[in-house]
């Protein structure tokens, strides 16, 4: 589904990703862990097509297409979804209107007619029940004054509405208490199937108790320095990131 | 048209043919016009809005409503007009035949008539009150030529269910027109009324409208006032609305400016009684080379008044904008609460905004604040929308529309709100 080869990217002239290699197949859950500042959000945003990140080398194949050539909206329409670490507040734009526009824009991309009011409402109702989200939240301006948990639940609700092939969750657990993490990961798990894949980006292991990964990768200093199974996450939790840093520094002769 | 002699001839003719109660006020104003002249950019209040060039052209100086018929203006009517009172000015002259009054609590007369009947005290006390605030030749010019003006009285204790639509129509089909609509509105005690004003030019010649509306709001009255400007780019206007709250009362004023050549708005609110409340909202969304200038004054004369002002601007292409918001708090006006905010988004590198808040506070126990911002659409927000599959152009439109929301939600009459929404949707092409 996703094949990242030697991806290098930076911001404001500074190289942050220094050669990422990663392959994700349909049906898999991958986790990327790493200390703060290691480049996790940079990777997520570069994949989603954020303009301020400059691709300096490498390639990304997504479902047979050259992802890096696509606009952010085309990436989304092709089935890539990024749940933001910090969802943006947009006063004056109702959440429902936003989601409706998104759903219909994706349909338009695929040459389909927009959903009519009834069709859209039916879809909303179904996903609201699935995600345990109330109408009152969706009537409010997009993310404005939402609590941390509400913002993250709203991200996953949007994911449910857009039914992506690959969902990238950037620190969806940060700032959430255990109950909120359980609700959010429940939502994600309900959306999983053999045809889609999830890339979970997280600093802590605890989210991975709920969204169980097939593979865990450690990102450090712009590179994936270690890959393993879910046991690697537990090891990181126990020993902290220092042991990874030491290993890497020894290898690099620092 | 920039020499005083040019006006002198017209003025003498008007004074000799129309010898009613208004000759004295006209004479004073003409003297003021002579003294001030046409404002240049050296005038502090006209620094960024240059209208001198407009006076270099030749205009017809109309004295009658001309030849437009009800049919000719049918297409110009605002949505909801079936249920509205309609007051029509043609080329600055009020037209009784084209106007329509359906609310019995409204009295509509020529100002000349009101100046000499039972309303003469109201007229004497309020006509020309705006000149205390607008010390320039352009305000004086309107008063010097008060003619074909209208007086509107909303009877005491009445809630006007049908709004009043005011059309300032210019017939520029054959020649350039300079028109000067003038009105005085008196909202009686405990009365409630909605006024909706708009400007339309017919024809391809240039129009220059210099309008003055003065409104007096009595004790316990409620006024909603809307100004909608979406005239063509070969039309220019100086549009003054001067509202004086003489009893504890409530005013809600919204100015929506979407197009025009040079547009200068003066909105003055004089809080001349204790516990008055005033809300001022404005949205200017300009394209091409249009120029929009909003000058507002909130004058707290008496204690315990509240005012809140929010103006928002979206400037595209080579449009230029000015926001100048003054708040005066007089020495007597303790416990004033006055808030002001102006926010601008520039959509193009060639668009500009000059924003200037001015607070002049002479009382010590007051709460006042002001703030202004000029920026671009938020890149992070754009990316957020795009990352959900929304095309860049659509995302852009959604963000502009979102920015305008907290102004548009204050347009209360549903048909007018829908009309403005449509104009904005057309502009944003969604
Ligand atoms: N907008 C930016 N401008 C400059 N540097 C940035 C910007 N965003 C991130 N960085 C830098 O890039 C590095 C990686 O950041 P990030 O990808 O956010 O890390 P992570 O998500 O792993 O915590 C950090 O050193 C950070 O300071
Ligand atoms: Mg991050």
């Amino acid at each position: 589904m996703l094949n990242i080869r030697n991806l290098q990217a930076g911001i404001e002239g500074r190289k942050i990703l220094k050669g990422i290699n990663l392959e994700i197949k349909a049906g898999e859950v991958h986790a990327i862990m790493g200390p703060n500042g290691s480049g996790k959000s940079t990777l997520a945003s570069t994949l989603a097509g954020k303009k301020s990140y400059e691709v300096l080398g490498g390639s990304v194949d997504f479902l047979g297409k050259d992802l890096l050539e696509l606009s952010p909206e085309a990436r989304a329409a092709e089935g890539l979804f990024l749940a933001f670490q910090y969802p943006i507040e947009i006063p004056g734009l109702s959440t429902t209107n936003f989601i409706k526009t998104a759903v219909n824009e994706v349909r338009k991309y695929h040459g389909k007619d927009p959903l009519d009011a009834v069709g859209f409402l039916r879809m909303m109702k179904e996903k609201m029940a699935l995600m345990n989200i109330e109408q009152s939240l969706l009537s409010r301006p997009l993310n404005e004054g939402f609590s941390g948990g509400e913002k993250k639940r709203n991200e996953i609700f949007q994911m449910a509405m857009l039914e992506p092939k690959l969902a990238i969750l950037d620190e969806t657990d940060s700032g959430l208490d255990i109950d909120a993490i359980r609700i959010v990961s429940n939502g994600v798990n309900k959306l999983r199937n053999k045809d889609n894949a999830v890339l979970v980006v997280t600093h802590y292991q605890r989210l991975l108790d709920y969204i169980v990964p097939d593979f865990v990768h450690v990102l450090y200093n712009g590179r994936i320095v270690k890959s393993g199974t879910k046991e690697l996450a537990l090891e990181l939790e126990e020993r902290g990131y220092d042991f990874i840093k030491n290993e890497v520094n020894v290898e690099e002769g620092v | 048209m920039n020499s005083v002699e040019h006006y002198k001839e017209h003025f003498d003719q008007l004074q000799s043919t129309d010898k009613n109660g208004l000759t004295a006020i006209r004479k004073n104003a003409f003297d003021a016009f002579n003294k001030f002249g046409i404002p240049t950019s050296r005038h502090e209040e006209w620094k960024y809005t240059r209208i001198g060039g407009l006076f270099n052209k030749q205009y017809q100086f109309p004295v009658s409503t001309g030849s437009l018929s009800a049919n000719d203006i049918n297409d110009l009517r605002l949505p909801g007009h079936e249920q509205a009172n309609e007051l029509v000015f043609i080329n600055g002259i009020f037209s009784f035949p084209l106007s329509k009054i359906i609310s019995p609590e409204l009295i509509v007369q020529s100002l000349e008539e009101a100046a000499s009947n039972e309303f003469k005290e109201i007229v004497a006390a309020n006509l020309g009150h705006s000149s205390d605030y607008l010390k320039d030749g352009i305000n004086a010019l309107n008063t010097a030529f008060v003619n074909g003006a209208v007086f509107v009285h909303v009877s005491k204790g009445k809630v006007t269910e049908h709004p009043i639509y005011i059309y300032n129509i210019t017939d520029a089909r054959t020649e350039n027109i300079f028109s000067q609509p003038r009105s005085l509105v008196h909202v009686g005690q405990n009365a409630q009324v909605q006024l909706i004003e708009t400007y339309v030019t017919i024809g391809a010649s240039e129009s220059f409208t210099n309008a003055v509306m003065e409104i007096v709001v009595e004790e316990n009255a409620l006024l909603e006032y809307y100004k909608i400007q979406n005239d063509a780019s070969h039309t220019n206007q100086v549009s003054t609305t001067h509202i004086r709250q003489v009893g504890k009362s409530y005013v809600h004023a919204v100015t929506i400016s979407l197009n025009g050549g040079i547009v200068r708005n003066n909105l003055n609110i004089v809080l001349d009684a204790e516990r008055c409340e005033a809300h001022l909202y404005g949205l200017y969304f300009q394209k091409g080379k249009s120029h929009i200038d909003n000058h507002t004054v909130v004058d707290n004369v008496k204690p315990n008044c509240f005012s809140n002002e929010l103006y928002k601007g979206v400037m595209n292409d080579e449009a230029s904008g000015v926001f100048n918001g003054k708040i005066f708090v007089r020495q007597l006006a303790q416990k004033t609460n006055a808030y002001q905010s102006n926010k601008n988004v520039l959509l193009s590198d060639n668009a500009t905004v000059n924003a200037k808040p001015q607070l002049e506070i002479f009382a010590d126990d007051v709460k006042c604040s002001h703030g202004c911002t000029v920026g671009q659409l938020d890149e992070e927000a754009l990316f957020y929308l795009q990352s959900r599959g929304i095309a860049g152009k659509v995302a852009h439109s959604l963000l502009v529309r979102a920015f305008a929301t907290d102004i548009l939600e204050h347009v209360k009459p549903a048909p007018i709100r829908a009309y403005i929404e449509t104009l904005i949707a057309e502009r944003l092409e969604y």
Side-chain angles (χ1 to χ4, degrees), chain A residues 50 73 82 92 98 105 155 158, chain B residues 380 384 386 388 391-392 405:
Chain A
K50 190 167 178 178
E73 56 266 36
L82 171 62
F98 159 68
E105 283 278 296
E155 292 292 288
Q158 292 166 38
Chain B
E380 301 280 329
Y384 188 53
Q386 286 176 281
R388 298 303 183 246
T405 295

Side-chain angles (χ1 to χ4, degrees), chain B residues 115-128:
Chain B
S116 51
N117 65 18
E118 76 261 36
F119 296 115
K120 69 174 177 230
E121 272 98 48
I122 293 172
V123 174
N126 296 290
L127 185 67

Side-chain angles (χ1 to χ4, degrees), chain A residues 40-41 85 170-171:
Chain A
K40 301 184 299 293
S41 290
Q85 179 171 4
D170 190 4
E171 308 249 5

